[in-house]
Protein backbone atom coordinates (compact mmCIF):
# COMPACT_ATOMS: atom_id res chain seq x y z
CA UNK A 1 0.00 0.00 0.00
CA UNK A 2 2.74 2.46 0.96
CA UNK A 3 4.71 1.63 -2.19
CA UNK A 4 1.63 2.24 -4.32
CA UNK A 5 0.94 5.68 -2.78
CA UNK A 6 4.54 6.88 -2.85
CA UNK A 7 4.94 5.70 -6.42
CA UNK A 8 1.93 7.70 -7.49
CA UNK A 9 2.80 10.92 -5.71
CA UNK A 10 4.81 12.40 -8.56
CA UNK A 11 2.17 11.97 -11.25
CA UNK A 12 -1.16 11.43 -9.55
CA UNK A 13 -1.42 14.26 -7.06
CA UNK A 14 -2.92 17.53 -8.18
CA UNK A 15 -4.43 18.00 -11.61
CA UNK A 16 -5.44 15.08 -13.76
CA UNK A 17 -3.62 16.84 -16.56
CA UNK A 18 -0.43 15.29 -15.22
CA UNK A 19 -1.64 11.92 -16.48
CA UNK A 20 -0.93 12.88 -20.07
CA UNK A 21 2.31 14.70 -19.41
CA UNK A 22 4.48 11.92 -20.76
CA UNK A 23 4.06 8.96 -23.08
CA UNK A 24 7.29 7.04 -23.04
CA UNK A 25 6.19 3.76 -21.48
CA UNK A 26 5.71 0.38 -23.10
CA UNK A 27 3.15 0.01 -25.87
CA UNK A 28 0.96 -2.19 -23.68
CA UNK A 29 1.19 -3.92 -20.34
CA UNK A 30 -1.84 -6.12 -21.01
CA UNK A 31 -1.33 -9.86 -20.76
CA UNK A 32 -4.04 -11.94 -22.38
CA UNK A 33 -4.95 -15.01 -20.30
CA UNK A 34 -8.24 -16.85 -20.68
CA UNK A 35 -7.62 -19.99 -18.66
CA UNK A 36 -9.71 -18.96 -15.64
CA UNK A 37 -12.45 -21.18 -14.24
CA UNK A 38 -14.01 -18.39 -12.10
CA UNK A 39 -14.77 -14.78 -13.03
CA UNK A 40 -14.10 -12.77 -9.89
CA UNK A 41 -15.20 -9.14 -9.43
CA UNK A 42 -14.42 -6.93 -6.41
CA UNK A 43 -16.85 -4.16 -5.48
CA UNK A 44 -18.18 -2.15 -2.51
CA UNK A 45 -21.97 -2.21 -2.97
CA UNK A 46 -24.77 -3.87 -4.88
CA UNK A 47 -25.24 -1.29 -7.67
CA UNK A 48 -23.09 -2.77 -10.45
CA UNK A 49 -23.59 -6.30 -9.16
CA UNK A 50 -27.33 -5.89 -9.72
CA UNK A 51 -26.83 -4.52 -13.25
CA UNK A 52 -24.31 -7.24 -14.08
CA UNK A 53 -26.56 -10.04 -12.84
CA UNK A 54 -29.51 -8.75 -14.85
CA UNK A 55 -27.81 -7.76 -18.10
CA UNK A 56 -24.47 -9.59 -18.37
CA UNK A 57 -24.93 -13.10 -16.97
CA UNK A 58 -26.14 -16.08 -18.97
CA UNK A 59 -29.13 -16.37 -16.62
CA UNK A 60 -30.03 -12.69 -16.86
CA UNK A 61 -29.86 -12.69 -20.67
CA UNK A 62 -32.03 -15.80 -20.80
CA UNK A 63 -34.72 -14.00 -18.81
CA UNK A 64 -34.53 -11.00 -21.12
CA UNK A 65 -35.08 -13.25 -24.14
CA UNK A 66 -38.20 -14.55 -22.41
CA UNK A 67 -39.43 -11.01 -21.99
CA UNK A 68 -38.65 -11.04 -18.28
CA UNK A 69 -36.20 -9.24 -16.07
CA UNK A 70 -34.37 -10.61 -13.05
CA UNK A 71 -35.99 -9.08 -9.98
CA UNK A 72 -33.92 -7.01 -7.61
CA UNK A 73 -34.42 -9.59 -4.86
CA UNK A 74 -33.06 -12.30 -7.16
CA UNK A 75 -30.11 -10.13 -8.10
CA UNK A 76 -29.37 -9.54 -4.41
CA UNK A 77 -29.50 -13.24 -3.60
CA UNK A 78 -27.50 -14.30 -6.64
CA UNK A 79 -24.01 -13.46 -5.42
CA UNK A 80 -23.08 -16.98 -6.52
CA UNK A 81 -24.70 -19.41 -8.93
CA UNK A 82 -24.61 -17.11 -11.96
CA UNK A 83 -22.40 -17.47 -15.03
CA UNK A 84 -21.00 -15.49 -17.94
CA UNK A 85 -20.21 -17.57 -21.02
CA UNK A 86 -20.53 -20.60 -18.78
CA UNK A 87 -17.91 -19.35 -16.29
CA UNK A 88 -19.13 -19.02 -12.66
CA UNK A 89 -19.23 -15.42 -11.38
CA UNK A 90 -18.12 -14.50 -7.85
CA UNK A 91 -18.48 -11.01 -6.39
CA UNK A 92 -16.49 -10.02 -3.32
CA UNK A 93 -18.07 -7.02 -1.61
CA UNK A 94 -16.48 -4.83 1.08
CA UNK A 95 -18.22 -1.67 2.34
CA UNK A 96 -16.60 1.57 1.24
CA UNK A 97 -16.77 3.57 4.49
CA UNK A 98 -13.49 4.69 6.06
CA UNK A 99 -11.55 3.24 3.14
CA UNK A 100 -12.36 -0.39 4.08
CA UNK A 101 -12.89 -1.38 0.45
CA UNK A 102 -9.61 0.15 -0.66
CA UNK A 103 -7.73 -1.61 2.12
CA UNK A 104 -9.23 -4.99 1.25
CA UNK A 105 -8.62 -4.40 -2.44
CA UNK A 106 -5.00 -3.37 -1.87
CA UNK A 107 -4.36 -6.55 0.07
CA UNK A 108 -5.93 -8.70 -2.63
CA UNK A 109 -4.04 -6.97 -5.44
CA UNK A 110 -0.74 -7.20 -3.57
CA UNK A 111 -1.30 -10.95 -3.22
CA UNK A 112 -2.62 -11.40 -6.76
CA UNK A 113 0.50 -13.07 -8.17
CA UNK A 114 0.54 -15.67 -5.37
CA UNK A 115 -3.20 -16.27 -5.26
CA UNK A 116 -4.71 -19.54 -6.41
CA UNK A 117 -6.23 -19.37 -9.89
CA UNK A 118 -9.83 -19.27 -8.66
CA UNK A 119 -9.00 -16.53 -6.13
CA UNK A 120 -7.46 -14.08 -8.59
CA UNK A 121 -9.38 -10.83 -9.13
CA UNK A 122 -10.29 -10.39 -12.78
CA UNK A 123 -12.04 -7.04 -12.63
CA UNK A 124 -12.62 -4.54 -9.84
CA UNK A 125 -14.55 -1.34 -9.36
CA UNK A 126 -13.28 2.08 -8.30
CA UNK A 127 -14.98 5.44 -7.89
CA UNK A 128 -14.00 9.01 -8.66
CA UNK A 129 -12.49 9.76 -5.25
CA UNK A 130 -9.71 7.22 -5.72
CA UNK A 131 -9.69 6.11 -9.37
CA UNK A 132 -6.22 7.65 -9.89
CA UNK A 133 -4.67 5.41 -7.27
CA UNK A 134 -5.38 2.33 -9.37
CA UNK A 135 -5.35 3.72 -12.91
CA UNK A 136 -1.77 4.89 -12.58
CA UNK A 137 -0.52 1.69 -11.01
CA UNK A 138 0.90 -1.64 -12.15
CA UNK A 139 -2.04 -3.46 -10.52
CA UNK A 140 -4.15 -2.61 -13.59
CA UNK A 141 -3.78 -3.46 -17.29
CA UNK A 142 -4.05 -1.51 -20.52
CA UNK A 143 -7.53 -2.44 -21.72
CA UNK A 144 -6.86 -1.61 -25.37
CA UNK A 145 -4.46 -4.53 -25.39
CA UNK A 146 -7.32 -6.71 -24.14
CA UNK A 147 -9.68 -5.65 -26.91
CA UNK A 148 -11.48 -2.58 -25.55
CA UNK A 149 -10.61 -0.25 -28.39
CA UNK A 150 -13.74 1.77 -29.24
CA UNK A 151 -14.21 4.56 -26.69
CA UNK A 152 -15.35 7.11 -29.25
CA UNK A 153 -18.74 7.58 -27.59
CA UNK A 154 -17.59 7.68 -23.99
CA UNK A 155 -17.30 11.00 -22.18
CA UNK A 156 -13.78 12.34 -22.30
CA UNK A 157 -13.34 12.77 -18.57
CA UNK A 158 -14.20 9.10 -17.92
CA UNK A 159 -11.31 8.03 -20.16
CA UNK A 160 -9.01 10.68 -18.75
CA UNK A 161 -9.70 9.54 -15.18
CA UNK A 162 -8.90 5.91 -16.01
CA UNK A 163 -5.61 6.62 -17.83
CA UNK A 164 -2.11 6.37 -16.44
CA UNK A 165 0.67 8.92 -16.87
CA UNK A 166 1.75 7.21 -20.12
CA UNK A 167 -1.73 7.57 -21.59
CA UNK A 168 -2.69 3.90 -21.31
CA UNK A 169 -6.36 3.38 -20.49
CA UNK A 170 -6.95 0.98 -17.59
CA UNK A 171 -10.73 0.87 -17.38
CA UNK A 172 -14.12 2.24 -18.37
CA UNK A 173 -17.02 3.77 -16.49
CA UNK A 174 -20.49 2.35 -17.06
CA UNK A 175 -22.05 5.71 -16.16
CA UNK A 176 -21.56 9.43 -16.53
CA UNK A 177 -22.40 11.51 -13.48
CA UNK A 178 -23.39 15.12 -14.21
CA UNK A 179 -25.28 16.37 -11.18
CA UNK A 180 -28.16 18.80 -10.79
CA UNK A 181 -30.72 20.10 -8.33
CA UNK A 182 -33.57 17.68 -7.63
CA UNK A 183 -36.52 19.55 -6.14
CA UNK A 184 -39.94 18.81 -4.72
CA UNK A 185 -42.72 19.78 -7.14
CA UNK A 186 -45.40 20.25 -4.47
CA UNK A 187 -43.21 22.61 -2.44
CA UNK A 188 -42.14 24.48 -5.58
CA UNK A 189 -45.77 25.12 -6.55
CA UNK A 190 -46.70 26.29 -3.05
CA UNK A 191 -43.72 28.55 -2.40
CA UNK A 192 -42.52 29.58 -5.86
CA UNK A 193 -45.81 29.38 -7.72
CA UNK A 194 -44.51 26.92 -10.32
CA UNK A 195 -42.90 23.51 -10.60
CA UNK A 196 -41.77 23.98 -14.20
CA UNK A 197 -38.01 23.20 -14.37
CA UNK A 198 -37.25 26.15 -16.64
CA UNK A 199 -39.03 28.60 -14.34
CA UNK A 200 -37.60 27.10 -11.15
CA UNK A 201 -34.10 27.32 -12.65
CA UNK A 202 -34.50 31.09 -13.03
CA UNK A 203 -35.11 31.33 -9.29
CA UNK A 204 -32.08 29.22 -8.31
CA UNK A 205 -29.57 30.11 -11.02
CA UNK A 206 -26.85 31.15 -8.56
CA UNK A 207 -26.13 30.68 -4.88
CA UNK A 208 -27.34 34.12 -3.82
CA UNK A 209 -30.75 33.45 -5.39
CA UNK A 210 -30.90 29.98 -3.94
CA UNK A 211 -30.00 31.06 -0.42
CA UNK A 212 -32.53 33.92 -0.61
CA UNK A 213 -35.28 31.29 -0.78
CA UNK A 214 -34.42 30.04 2.70
CA UNK A 215 -36.77 32.37 4.58
CA UNK A 216 -39.60 31.76 2.10
CA UNK A 217 -39.31 28.00 2.60
CA UNK A 218 -39.04 28.35 6.36
CA UNK A 219 -42.14 30.56 6.50
CA UNK A 220 -44.13 27.79 4.86
CA UNK A 221 -42.73 25.12 7.18
CA UNK A 222 -40.15 23.65 4.83
CA UNK A 223 -36.39 23.18 4.76
CA UNK A 224 -34.44 24.61 1.83
CA UNK A 225 -32.21 21.52 1.62
CA UNK A 226 -32.66 17.99 2.89
CA UNK A 227 -29.66 18.06 5.24
CA UNK A 228 -26.72 20.28 6.10
CA UNK A 229 -24.39 18.17 3.93
CA UNK A 230 -26.64 18.28 0.87
CA UNK A 231 -24.72 20.86 -1.17
CA UNK A 232 -21.22 19.71 -0.13
CA UNK A 233 -20.32 17.98 -3.38
CA UNK A 234 -21.41 20.95 -5.47
CA UNK A 235 -18.67 22.98 -3.80
CA UNK A 236 -16.01 20.29 -3.31
CA UNK A 237 -16.20 19.07 -6.91
CA UNK A 238 -15.68 22.59 -8.20
CA UNK A 239 -12.44 23.09 -6.26
CA UNK A 240 -9.69 25.04 -8.02
CA UNK A 241 -7.02 23.41 -5.83
CA UNK A 242 -6.59 19.77 -4.71
CA UNK A 243 -6.86 18.51 -1.15
CA UNK A 244 -3.18 17.50 -1.38
CA UNK A 245 -0.64 19.36 -3.51
CA UNK A 246 2.51 18.03 -5.18
CA UNK A 247 4.47 18.74 -1.98
CA UNK A 248 2.24 16.32 -0.04
CA UNK A 249 0.68 19.25 1.83
CA UNK A 250 -2.97 18.91 2.81
CA UNK A 251 -5.18 22.00 2.95
CA UNK A 252 -8.91 22.68 2.74
CA UNK A 253 -9.87 23.97 -0.74
CA UNK A 254 -11.41 27.45 -0.85
CA UNK A 255 -14.66 26.09 -2.29
CA UNK A 256 -15.03 23.80 0.72
CA UNK A 257 -14.45 26.79 2.99
CA UNK A 258 -17.31 28.52 1.17
CA UNK A 259 -19.51 25.50 1.80
CA UNK A 260 -18.58 25.60 5.50
CA UNK A 261 -20.03 29.11 5.76
CA UNK A 262 -23.17 28.12 3.89
CA UNK A 263 -23.74 25.00 5.96
CA UNK A 264 -23.41 26.93 9.23
CA UNK A 265 -25.83 29.58 7.94
CA UNK A 266 -28.34 26.94 6.90
CA UNK A 267 -28.20 25.21 10.29
CA UNK A 268 -28.37 28.46 12.29
CA UNK A 269 -31.32 29.76 10.25
CA UNK A 270 -33.03 26.36 10.17
CA UNK A 271 -32.84 26.21 6.38
CA UNK A 272 -31.55 22.65 6.76
CA UNK A 273 -31.56 20.00 9.49
CA UNK A 274 -28.31 18.57 10.75
CA UNK A 275 -27.79 15.35 8.84
CA UNK A 276 -26.13 12.96 11.28
CA UNK A 277 -22.79 11.29 10.78
CA UNK A 278 -23.83 9.80 7.44
CA UNK A 279 -24.82 13.12 5.85
CA UNK A 280 -26.83 12.59 2.66
CA UNK A 281 -26.99 8.84 3.40
CA UNK A 282 -28.42 9.28 6.90
CA UNK A 283 -31.83 8.22 8.19
CA UNK A 284 -32.36 11.84 9.26
CA UNK A 285 -31.99 13.05 5.70
CA UNK A 286 -34.15 10.24 4.31
CA UNK A 287 -36.93 11.06 6.77
CA UNK A 288 -36.84 14.70 5.68
CA UNK A 289 -37.93 13.83 2.15
CA UNK A 290 -39.86 10.61 2.74
CA UNK A 291 -43.36 10.41 1.30
CA UNK A 292 -44.94 9.42 4.62
CA UNK A 293 -42.66 11.43 6.88
CA UNK A 294 -44.09 13.70 9.55
CA UNK A 295 -40.83 15.63 9.54
CA UNK A 296 -40.61 19.03 7.92
CA UNK A 297 -40.03 18.28 4.23
CA UNK A 298 -37.21 19.68 2.14
CA UNK A 299 -37.28 21.56 -1.14
CA UNK A 300 -33.98 20.58 -2.75
CA UNK A 301 -31.39 17.82 -3.04
CA UNK A 302 -28.26 17.77 -5.21
CA UNK A 303 -27.20 14.70 -7.12
CA UNK A 304 -26.74 12.73 -10.37
CA UNK A 305 -28.98 10.02 -11.80
CA UNK A 306 -27.83 7.38 -9.29
CA UNK A 307 -29.02 9.66 -6.46
CA UNK A 308 -32.66 8.76 -7.13
CA UNK A 309 -32.01 5.13 -6.21
CA UNK A 310 -29.48 5.50 -3.42
CA UNK A 311 -30.62 8.61 -1.55
CA UNK A 312 -34.31 9.08 -2.35
CA UNK A 313 -35.79 5.60 -2.20
CA UNK A 314 -38.67 6.53 0.11
CA UNK A 315 -39.63 9.70 -1.77
CA UNK A 316 -42.95 10.04 -3.53
CA UNK A 317 -42.69 8.98 -7.16
CA UNK A 318 -43.72 11.79 -9.48
CA UNK A 319 -43.31 14.57 -6.93
CA UNK A 320 -39.79 15.57 -7.97
CA UNK A 321 -38.14 17.40 -10.87
CA UNK A 322 -34.64 18.22 -12.06
CA UNK A 323 -32.88 21.41 -13.11
CA UNK A 324 -29.27 22.58 -13.27
CA UNK A 325 -29.41 24.49 -9.99
CA UNK A 326 -27.00 27.17 -8.73
CA UNK A 327 -23.80 25.58 -10.06
CA UNK A 328 -22.89 22.81 -12.50
CA UNK A 329 -20.96 19.90 -11.03
CA UNK A 330 -20.53 16.14 -11.17
CA UNK A 331 -20.50 13.61 -8.40
CA UNK A 332 -19.10 10.13 -8.38
CA UNK A 333 -19.01 7.48 -11.05
CA UNK A 334 -17.97 3.85 -11.06
CA UNK A 335 -15.12 2.53 -13.19
CA UNK A 336 -14.48 -1.09 -14.15
CA UNK A 337 -10.73 -1.82 -14.08
CA UNK A 338 -8.79 -4.78 -15.42
CA UNK A 339 -6.73 -6.40 -12.69
CA UNK A 340 -3.19 -7.39 -13.61
CA UNK A 341 -2.93 -11.16 -13.36
CA UNK A 342 -6.51 -11.80 -14.46
CA UNK A 343 -6.95 -15.18 -16.11
CA UNK A 344 -10.23 -14.15 -17.75
CA UNK A 345 -9.15 -11.18 -19.83
CA UNK A 346 -11.56 -11.96 -22.67
CA UNK A 347 -14.49 -11.70 -20.24
CA UNK A 348 -13.11 -8.46 -18.79
CA UNK A 349 -13.02 -6.95 -22.27
CA UNK A 350 -16.46 -8.32 -23.12
CA UNK A 351 -18.05 -6.73 -20.05
CA UNK A 352 -16.31 -3.40 -20.55
CA UNK A 353 -17.33 -3.22 -24.20
CA UNK A 354 -20.91 -4.07 -23.25
CA UNK A 355 -21.26 -1.20 -20.80
CA UNK A 356 -19.93 1.50 -23.10
CA UNK A 357 -21.09 0.40 -26.56
CA UNK A 358 -23.99 -2.07 -26.47
CA UNK A 359 -27.16 -0.10 -27.21
CA UNK A 360 -29.47 -2.69 -25.65
CA UNK A 361 -27.54 -2.33 -22.40
CA UNK A 362 -27.68 1.48 -22.64
CA UNK A 363 -31.44 1.25 -23.07
CA UNK A 364 -31.83 -1.12 -20.13
CA UNK A 365 -29.76 1.07 -17.82
CA UNK A 366 -31.73 4.16 -18.85
CA UNK A 367 -35.25 2.73 -18.91
CA UNK A 368 -35.04 0.21 -16.08
CA UNK A 369 -32.45 1.76 -13.77
CA UNK A 370 -32.77 5.53 -14.38
CA UNK A 371 -29.06 5.70 -15.16
CA UNK A 372 -27.26 8.26 -17.32
CA UNK A 373 -25.01 6.05 -19.43
CA UNK A 374 -21.45 6.58 -20.60
CA UNK A 375 -22.42 6.72 -24.27
CA UNK A 376 -22.83 10.19 -25.78
CA UNK A 377 -24.55 9.06 -28.97
CA UNK A 378 -27.20 7.07 -27.13
CA UNK A 379 -27.81 9.79 -24.54
CA UNK A 380 -28.23 12.45 -27.21
CA UNK A 381 -30.77 10.26 -28.99
CA UNK A 382 -32.73 9.80 -25.76
CA UNK A 383 -32.51 13.52 -25.00
CA UNK A 384 -34.29 14.28 -28.28
CA UNK A 385 -36.87 11.53 -27.73
CA UNK A 386 -39.87 11.04 -25.47
CA UNK A 387 -38.26 9.61 -22.33
CA UNK A 388 -40.55 9.91 -19.32
CA UNK A 389 -38.94 9.42 -15.93
CA UNK A 390 -41.85 8.53 -13.64
CA UNK A 391 -39.90 9.51 -10.52
CA UNK A 392 -39.59 13.02 -11.97
CA UNK A 393 -43.22 13.31 -12.99
CA UNK A 394 -42.52 12.33 -16.59
CA UNK A 395 -39.59 14.69 -17.13
CA UNK A 396 -36.88 13.76 -19.63
CA UNK A 397 -33.94 14.05 -17.24
CA UNK A 398 -31.53 12.70 -19.88
CA UNK A 399 -31.96 15.96 -21.81
CA UNK A 400 -30.84 17.96 -18.76
CA UNK A 401 -27.94 15.62 -17.99
CA UNK A 402 -26.71 15.76 -21.61
CA UNK A 403 -26.39 19.51 -21.24
CA UNK A 404 -24.78 19.31 -17.79
CA UNK A 405 -22.28 16.67 -18.95
CA UNK A 406 -20.65 19.25 -21.25
CA UNK A 407 -19.33 21.07 -18.17
CA UNK A 408 -17.69 18.12 -16.42
CA UNK A 409 -14.01 18.58 -15.68
CA UNK A 410 -11.99 15.98 -13.80
CA UNK A 411 -9.43 18.29 -12.21
CA UNK A 412 -7.59 18.70 -8.92
CA UNK A 413 -8.22 15.08 -8.02
CA UNK A 414 -5.90 13.11 -5.74
CA UNK A 415 -5.60 9.56 -4.46
CA UNK A 416 -6.56 10.81 -1.00
CA UNK A 417 -9.96 12.25 -1.89
CA UNK A 418 -12.21 9.59 -0.39
CA UNK A 419 -10.51 9.94 2.98
CA UNK A 420 -10.53 13.74 2.79
CA UNK A 421 -14.13 14.18 1.65
CA UNK A 422 -15.61 11.58 3.99
CA UNK A 423 -13.39 12.47 6.93
CA UNK A 424 -14.01 16.18 6.59
CA UNK A 425 -17.79 15.84 6.42
CA UNK A 426 -17.88 13.51 9.40
CA UNK A 427 -15.70 15.82 11.50
CA UNK A 428 -17.49 19.01 10.50
CA UNK A 429 -20.90 17.48 11.24
CA UNK A 430 -19.93 17.35 14.90
CA UNK A 431 -19.46 21.12 14.81
CA UNK A 432 -22.75 21.72 13.01
CA UNK A 433 -24.51 19.56 15.60
CA UNK A 434 -22.95 21.67 18.33
CA UNK A 435 -21.00 18.93 20.07
CA UNK A 436 -17.53 20.41 19.41
CA UNK A 437 -16.07 23.77 18.45
CA UNK A 438 -15.13 24.43 14.84
CA UNK A 439 -11.44 24.41 15.79
CA UNK A 440 -11.82 21.02 17.47
CA UNK A 441 -13.71 19.61 14.49
CA UNK A 442 -10.94 20.65 12.12
CA UNK A 443 -8.26 19.29 14.45
CA UNK A 444 -10.11 15.97 14.57
CA UNK A 445 -10.13 15.89 10.76
CA UNK A 446 -6.44 16.73 10.44
CA UNK A 447 -5.47 14.14 13.06
CA UNK A 448 -7.49 11.42 11.35
CA UNK A 449 -5.81 12.10 8.00
CA UNK A 450 -2.36 12.18 9.60
CA UNK A 451 -3.08 8.81 11.22
CA UNK A 452 -4.02 7.37 7.82
CA UNK A 453 -1.17 9.00 5.86
CA UNK A 454 2.03 9.81 7.72
CA UNK A 455 3.58 11.18 4.52
CA UNK A 456 1.28 14.21 4.49
CA UNK A 457 1.83 17.52 6.24
CA UNK A 458 -0.97 19.85 7.30
CA UNK A 459 -1.09 23.32 5.79
CA UNK A 460 -3.77 25.27 7.67
Amino acid sequence: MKKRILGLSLCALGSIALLTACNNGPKSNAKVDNSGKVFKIACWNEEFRGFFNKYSTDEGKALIKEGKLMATADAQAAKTGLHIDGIPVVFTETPSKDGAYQKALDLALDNQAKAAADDKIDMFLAEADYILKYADDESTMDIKGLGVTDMSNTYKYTVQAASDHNGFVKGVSFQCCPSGMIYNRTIAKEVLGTDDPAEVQKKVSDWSKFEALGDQMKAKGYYLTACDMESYRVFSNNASTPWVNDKNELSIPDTVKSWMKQAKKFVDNQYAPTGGKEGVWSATKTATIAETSESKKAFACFGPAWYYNFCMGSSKVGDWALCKGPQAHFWGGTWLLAATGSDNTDLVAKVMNQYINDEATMKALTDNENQFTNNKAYNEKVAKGDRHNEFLGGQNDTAIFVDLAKDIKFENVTIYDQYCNEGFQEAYEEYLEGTVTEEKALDNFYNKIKTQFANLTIKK
Side-chain angles (χ1 to χ4, degrees):
M1 173 68 175
K2 184 181 294 183
K3 179 180 179 182
R4 182 174 289 121
I5 288 179
L6 294 178
L8 282 171
S9 62
L10 293 177
C11 287
L13 298 178
S15 173
I16 187 69
L18 290 175
L19 293 177
T20 56
C22 51
N23 190 12
N24 53 10
K27 290 184 178 181
S28 173
N29 66 346
K31 180 182 178 182
V32 177
D33 184 349
N34 298 310
S35 61
K37 299 297 188 291
V38 174
F39 189 56
K40 190 171 182 180
I41 305 171
C43 63
W44 65 86
N45 67 14
E46 76 281 1
E47 181 184 36
F48 179 73
R49 189 182 75 223
F51 300 159
F52 181 91
N53 289 347
K54 285 190 266 189
Y55 308 122
S56 301
T57 62
D58 302 339
E59 293 81 1
K61 289 180 178 178
L63 286 174
I64 292 173
K65 288 182 179 179
E66 295 174 12
K68 301 176 183 178
L69 187 65
M70 186 181 289
T72 301
D74 294 331
Q76 287 287 96
K79 294 183 181 180
T80 59
L82 298 180
H83 304 78
I84 178 170
D85 289 359
I87 302 294
V89 177
V90 174
F91 276 90
T92 61
E93 184 177 321
T94 306
S96 181
K97 186 173 173 56
D98 292 328
Y101 171 66
Q102 288 191 61
K103 293 171 185 175
L105 182 60
D106 290 338
L107 181 61
L109 293 175
D110 287 343
N111 292 327
Q112 180 89 326
K114 297 179 291 184
D118 290 352
D119 293 331
K120 291 182 182 296
I121 294 176
D122 295 298
M123 186 174 75
F124 66 90
L125 278 56
E127 59 181 340
D129 277 353
Y130 53 86
I131 177 69
L132 292 184
K133 172 181 169 183
Y134 298 103
D136 202 29
D137 185 68
E138 61 185 12
S139 63
T140 50
M141 292 187 287
D142 166 32
I143 61 173
K144 289 185 178 180
L146 302 181
V148 185
T149 57
D150 183 6
M151 287 170 268
S152 59
N153 276 315
T154 58
Y155 289 87
K156 182 180 178 181
Y157 87 94
T158 67
V159 178
Q160 194 177 23
S163 300
D164 70 7
H165 67 279
N166 290 311
F168 297 125
V169 185
K170 303 296 196 67
V172 302
S173 177
F174 69 83
Q175 60 191 175
C176 179
C177 293
S179 194
M181 190 184 91
I182 308 164
Y183 64 90
N184 186 284
R185 287 181 179 271
T186 298
I187 296 175
K189 286 180 181 178
E190 181 180 345
V191 180
L192 305 180
T194 179
D195 69 342
D196 179 74
E199 293 303 313
V200 171
Q201 176 59 31
K202 294 177 183 177
K203 301 176 185 295
V204 298
S205 58
D206 59 44
W207 284 118
S208 61
K209 289 181 180 179
F210 180 78
E211 293 180 12
L213 297 179
D215 287 331
Q216 293 182 54
M217 295 294 168
K218 183 179 176 181
K220 293 288 187 177
Y222 301 118
Y223 290 118
L224 181 56
T225 61
C227 76
D228 52 14
M229 296 289 159
E230 193 64 53
S231 62
Y232 174 81
R233 287 287 184 165
V234 188
F235 287 86
S236 67
N237 283 12
N238 276 296
S240 58
T241 56
W243 275 103
V244 179
N245 64 21
D246 57 5
K247 297 179 182 179
N248 283 350
E249 297 172 329
L250 180 146
S251 60
I252 299 173
D254 287 343
T255 53
V256 175
K257 292 178 180 178
S258 296
W259 171 83
M260 291 162 63
K261 295 177 182 178
Q262 184 193 80
K264 186 65 167 70
K265 176 182 177 181
F266 280 18
V267 170
D268 288 347
N269 293 341
Q270 295 184 320
Y271 295 166
T274 51
K277 290 290 189 285
E278 300 297 321
V280 299
W281 317 100
S282 72
T284 303
K285 178 267 175 69
T286 301
T288 306
I289 60 173
E291 178 180 0
T292 58
S293 174
E294 296 180 1
S295 303
K296 184 186 296 184
K297 291 189 176 180
F299 169 63
C301 304
F302 294 90
W306 57 255
Y307 194 96
Y308 311 144
N309 299 325
F310 277 86
C311 302
M312 303 183 73
S314 59
S315 301
K316 184 177 180 180
V317 172
D319 200 26
W320 297 89
L322 175 73
C323 65
K324 177 180 178 180
Q327 190 173 13
H329 68 293
F330 88 99
W331 179 9
T334 300
W335 279 260
L336 316 177
L337 293 131
T340 299
S342 166
D343 52 9
N344 278 304
T345 53
D346 59 342
L347 293 182
V348 171
K350 179 178 181 177
V351 172
M352 289 184 177
N353 281 318
Q354 177 190 357
Y355 283 89
I356 60 173
N357 286 320
D358 181 65
E359 185 161 327
T361 303
M362 302 301 113
K363 180 174 174 54
L365 292 175
T366 302
D367 294 349
N368 301 335
E369 315 293 346
N370 279 332
Q371 288 284 307
F372 184 72
T373 72
N374 190 17
N375 187 295
K376 290 182 290 185
Y378 181 78
N379 290 340
E380 288 167 4
K381 182 169 71 173
V382 174
K384 296 174 183 177
D386 60 352
R387 168 167 163 74
H388 295 276
N389 186 328
E390 291 183 8
F391 182 76
L392 300 177
Q395 186 181 7
N396 185 345
D397 54 337
T398 299
I400 301 234
F401 285 134
V402 162
D403 187 52
L404 291 176
K406 298 174 184 177
D407 295 323
I408 295 181
K409 296 178 180 178
F410 197 80
E411 298 176 341
N412 300 305
V413 181
T414 81
I415 61 176
Y416 305 101
D417 285 3
Q418 181 188 10
Y419 296 93
C420 291
N421 283 313
E422 290 183 0
F424 179 80
Q425 290 179 81
E426 183 175 340
Y428 207 70
E429 182 62 41
E430 293 185 337
Y431 166 62
L432 294 175
E433 291 178 344
T435 58
V436 300
T437 65
E438 184 175 37
E439 182 180 8
K440 178 61 175 175
L442 295 179
D443 283 343
N444 288 342
F445 164 64
Y446 292 135
N447 290 336
K448 184 173 183 178
I449 295 299
K450 281 291 293 180
T451 299
Q452 291 277 2
F453 304 105
N455 61 309
L456 300 183
T457 57
I458 306 301
K459 185 180 180 182
K460 298 183 180 180

